[in-house]
Amino acid sequence: MRISRKAEYALRALIAMAREPAGRVHQIQELSRSENIPVKYLEQILLALRNGGLLGSKRGVGGGYTLQKRPGEISVGEVIELLDGPIAPIACALERPQEKCTCPDPAQCELRQFMRGVREQLDAVLFGKTIDDLLALGRHRLVLAFDI
C-alpha cells in the first residue's frame, strides 16, 4: 500500500504547523518554502484539511491557516483517509465496501479475509499515531556533535 503524494504533503504540512506555538497563523507561501511543496498543490491540500475540520483559515493581511485540533488529536489515518479515501489493500477489505466484491464467494474468500486482517492492522497503526507522535520522532533523532 502506498499513500498519495497529496496525503504525504498534508502530513508534512501538519507536522510543520505543529512545530510552532498553538494558534500561530501559517501562510501558504511559508509552508510551501519550508516543506518544498508546490504552492498551488498546497492550496488544494490545505483547503481539504480545512473542509475536513483539521484547519481553520483567516483571510486578509496576516491571514493563513491554523490548526483546529491539537497535534495529539490528529491521527495519521484520519489525514490519509481525508485526502485519499478509505484505507484498504483491496476494495472488498473495507468495513463497508463501496465496490462489489469480484470473488466468487465473498463470505468464504481467503484473500478477502486476509486483506481484512491487513486493513485492521493498518488502521491500528495509522489511527494509533498522531501528528504529535511524528513530531516526537524528529525530537529523538540522534544529534552528533563534532568538537575539534
Side-chain angles (χ1 to χ4, degrees), residues 45-93:
I45 292 166
L46 296 178
L47 183 61
L49 293 173
R50 184 181 65 86
N51 291 340
L54 301 182
L55 297 179
S57 62
K58 180 182 172 191
R59 295 181 142 205
V61 176
Y65 288 89
T66 56
L67 291 173
Q68 284 294 100
K69 293 182 173 183
R70 292 191 316 257
E73 297 173 336
I74 303 171
S75 76
V76 173
E78 177 182 12
V79 176
I80 294 170
E81 274 197 345
L82 186 62
L83 279 287
D84 291 350
I87 302 165
I90 60 175
C92 64

Side-chain angles (χ1 to χ4, degrees), residues 105-119:
D105 184 4
Q108 298 300 315
C109 178
E110 296 87 350
L111 179 61
R112 179 174 185 240
Q113 291 173 19
F114 173 74
M115 290 300 177
R116 277 193 152 190
V118 169
R119 190 212 72 232

